[in-house]
Amino acid sequence: MKITVAGAGNVGLVTAVCFAEAGHQVTCLDTQKEKIEMLEKGHTPFFEPGLEPLLEKNLASGQLRFSTNPKQAYRGAEIIFIAVGTPEKKDGSVDLSYIYIASYHIAENIENDVIVCTKSTVPVGTNDIIKQILQHRKPRHLNVDVVSNPEFLREGSAIRDFYLGDRIIIGADNPKAASIMEQLYLPFQIPIVVTDTRSAEMIKYASNAFLATKISFINEIANLCEKVGANIDEVSFGMGMDKRIGLNYLQPGIGYGGSCFPKDTKALVQLAGNVLHPFELLESVIKVNQQQHSLLVRKAKERFGSLKGKKAAVLGLAFKPETDDIREAVSLTIIKELLGEGSFVSAYDPIAIPNAHKLLGNSIEYSTTIREAVKGADFAVIATEWDQIKHLPLDTYTAYMKEPIIFDGRNCYSLKDIQRYPITYVSIGRPTIANVAHTPQH
Ligand code: UDX
């Protein structure tokens, strides 16, 4: 089929490339000229494992092309995916301006019947607004159906999630449009759920909000474990063996970040507020998550008294491993707090340093090796569980740090391994390992 994807971001680009790979003729449209020029050269503007080779392959085969011109991009399309950004506004509500602009451009440039699919995460009821815009502004003789088709891609595993997702959600009011979408997704052999558009919109928000709730819940249990002498590794495993709970999203840490959970949880609270239904549970999830972000610096202050003049090595800048995305990364909160306490910060990340530097400039030092980052450091703070950190030989800390003291926000190491080294190790929901004599400096 002829498909156009509006938006070449984390969702749009993966959608465009994967449908091209499935044999469709795909045009990916974006307003940013430099981004499109980069893509036309086969380079992705962000890191996503496996995406660039697929991009190059489908550019070369002619299955995929890019454009900044809506008339050219929408001409002849049978299915149009709206995958533009829906950023968070200051008050926590969703900025839908890019959605509306895309809708206007579609209405003004289509020349044949089309199905418009909203892949962007949008508040319940948005697809009805898109439908109104299209019905009002499209050429009279054309039929346009609007379908909600939310995505569940995780950064760092987006290609895998596209091909091996647990379900495809299709929210459609016209059964004919629904069956065309089912035909499109049939070859992927993923269970398809057809429902109405509002339920499809809610499935997306409710899914992300539930995963965020699971994370804040296990983080609170971890905080409790520290106070009652339990070990969250054991507790989380023992809980997760219950199929009703499941082991996924029970990894305790310093809280969730990224461009989705923080935004989508606030948007759902907003949405609930708009219908006079205070979503107190989700408000607590957000509050617990924000408090978790400050846990490590609090622990460091308890340990040292003052952090002024100390050198802190922050290991991990990206909001999670396998991405260079630093949006709402907990590392940013940690760095801001450390600088506020008068510490010097040296940060390590395998791929997110360019993005971090755009935001933090020269307020901190950057190291492309962990050894460099921890050299002469008074303490290390682990913010992202990169494999390079998890598999680091632990004697790196004892050999290079002024004093091997680690505050681990992602429980990268087992207590058993740590105990074999003269390291002081403070992690989440587990007993502190103090293998070196230490007199607090006040
Ligand atoms: C999420 C959803 O998983 C995905 O379905 C949706 O489409 C977009 O938002 P993403 O934000 O890319 O995906 O990453 P994810 O792997 O879900 O992690 C989100 C955050 O939760 C990260 O900051 C991660 O560190 C944190 N997390 C995840 C935990 O703290 N504990 C866990 O057990 C899992």
Side-chain angles (χ1 to χ4, degrees):
M1 295 185 87
K2 277 203 75 176
I3 296 173
T4 297
V5 178
N10 293 77
V11 173
L13 183 58
V14 170
T15 301
V17 167
C18 290
F19 275 125
E21 179 65 10
H24 298 284
Q25 195 58 43
V26 181
T27 301
C28 187
L29 168 71
D30 200 285
T31 53
Q32 292 179 39
K33 199 162 165 295
E34 57 287 347
K35 187 193 277 192
I36 292 297
E37 282 165 357
M38 188 180 190
L39 287 163
E40 283 171 334
K41 292 190 190 100
H43 300 304
T44 55
F46 52 84
F47 178 79
E48 181 61 53
L51 185 57
E52 206 150 85
L54 275 183
L55 166 65
E56 286 164 344
K57 178 186 168 201
N58 286 283
L59 274 173
S61 68
Q63 293 297 125
L64 175 63
R65 62 180 190 150
F66 291 93
S67 172
T68 55
N69 175 334
K71 180 156 276 319
Q72 177 198 47
Y74 292 128
R75 183 179 297 131
E78 297 163 88
I79 295 181
I80 297 172
F81 285 98
I82 298 179
V84 295
T86 52
E88 179 187 333
K89 284 189 196 162
K90 283 212 176 8
D91 65 358
S93 63
V94 184
D95 176 356
L96 292 171
S97 55
Y98 301 112
I99 292 278
Y100 298 148
I101 292 166
S103 304
Y104 295 137
H105 281 165
I106 291 168
E108 284 148 14
N109 290 290
I110 51 174
E111 298 162 352
N112 52 267
D113 293 357
V114 72
I115 295 177
V116 175
C117 283
T118 312
K119 212 158 238 324
S120 304
T121 303
V122 292
V124 176
T126 305
N127 274 282
D128 291 342
I129 300 170
I130 295 170
K131 203 183 300 179
Q132 284 158 18
I133 294 171
L134 293 168
Q135 292 308 335
H136 184 65
R137 301 175 76 107
K138 71 176 179 50
R140 291 207 180 293
H141 66 290
L142 294 184
N143 294 317
V144 175
D145 285 295
V146 175
V147 167
S148 166
N149 178 219
E151 50 75 33
F152 302 95
L153 309 178
R154 290 166 297 172
E155 290 186 29
S157 59
I159 306 260
R160 187 172 65 234
D161 292 345
F162 191 95
Y163 285 110
L164 301 173
D166 292 326
R167 76 308 200 181
I168 302 285
I169 300 293
I170 294 170
D173 301 331
N174 174 351
K176 195 168 153 295
S179 66
I180 292 172
M181 292 305 296
E182 285 185 274
Q183 290 311 313
L184 175 74
Y185 279 109
L186 219 51
F188 294 95
Q189 297 182 324
I190 296 174
I192 298 176
V193 175
V194 179
T195 181
D196 61 277
T197 51
R198 285 177 177 253
S199 301
E201 291 163 330
M202 179 55 90
I203 288 168
K204 171 66 185 175
Y205 273 108
S207 300
N208 271 6
F210 181 77
L211 292 169
T213 301
K214 221 178 160 182
I215 292 167
S216 281
F217 181 82
I218 200 65
N219 285 338
E220 277 289 70
I221 293 293
N223 297 333
L224 214 46
C225 282
E226 287 182 24
K227 294 195 161 70
V228 299
N231 181 321
I232 191 62
D233 292 344
E234 312 300 317
V235 171
S236 165
F237 182 71
M239 285 171 66
M241 289 296 280
D242 182 327
K243 287 190 182 54
R244 296 169 302 170
I245 298 172
L247 288 162
N248 288 331
Y249 286 74
L250 275 188
Q251 174 61 40
I254 42 179
Y256 57 77
S259 61
C260 297
F261 285 178
K263 170 173 79 79
D264 294 351
T265 46
K266 285 182 203 145
L268 192 51
V269 166
Q270 271 280 335
L271 182 80
N274 295 345
V275 291
L276 308 178
H277 182 97
F279 202 150
E280 289 163 9
L281 174 64
L282 199 51
E283 286 168 356
S284 305
V285 166
I286 294 167
K287 188 160 158 270
V288 164
N289 190 58
Q290 274 152 358
Q291 288 165 351
Q292 206 70 9
H293 287 10
S294 302
L295 195 55
L296 289 188
V297 172
R298 200 164 69 236
K299 286 173 180 257
K301 283 168 69 178
E302 280 163 15
R303 175 92 204 170
F304 289 106
S306 162
L307 301 182
K308 194 169 169 48
K310 292 205 178 295
K311 180 185 173 187
V314 174
L315 304 183
L317 290 167
F319 84 90
K320 63 179 278 195
E322 297 311 315
T323 180
D324 60 352
D325 193 344
I326 61 162
R327 286 175 289 180
E328 302 284 332
V330 186
S331 60
L332 301 178
T333 304
I334 291 170
I335 288 168
K336 187 161 159 267
E337 290 179 347
L338 288 171
L339 293 176
E341 294 291 332
S343 299
F344 298 101
V345 175
S346 165
Y348 159 82
D349 191 282
I351 56 173
I353 287 177
N355 284 337
H357 189 266
K358 278 184 209 144
L359 206 63
L360 300 169
N362 296 324
S363 64
I364 65 171
E365 284 172 6
Y366 302 92
S367 311
T368 49
T369 68
I370 298 171
R371 187 177 300 178
E372 202 48 47
V374 302
K375 198 185 279 175
D378 295 288
F379 61 98
V381 174
I382 300 177
T384 315
E385 66 280 23
W386 282 103
D387 280 349
Q388 293 88 329
I389 297 170
K390 287 165 75 173
H391 303 143
L392 181 79
L394 293 175
D395 56 9
T396 308
Y397 295 109
T398 50
Y400 289 90
M401 292 181 71
K402 198 188 288 176
E403 205 174 337
I405 300 179
I406 303 171
F407 296 92
D408 185 357
R410 299 292 178 190
N411 289 4
C412 291
Y413 307 121
S414 76
L415 300 187
K416 204 159 59 50
D417 289 346
I418 285 283
Q419 272 157 347
R420 296 190 357 251
Y421 294 84
I423 289 175
T424 293
Y425 181 68
V426 180
S427 58
I428 306 287
R430 305 187 295 182
T432 291
I433 308 289
N435 274 347
V436 282
H438 177 79
T439 44
Q441 294 151 19
H442 288 291

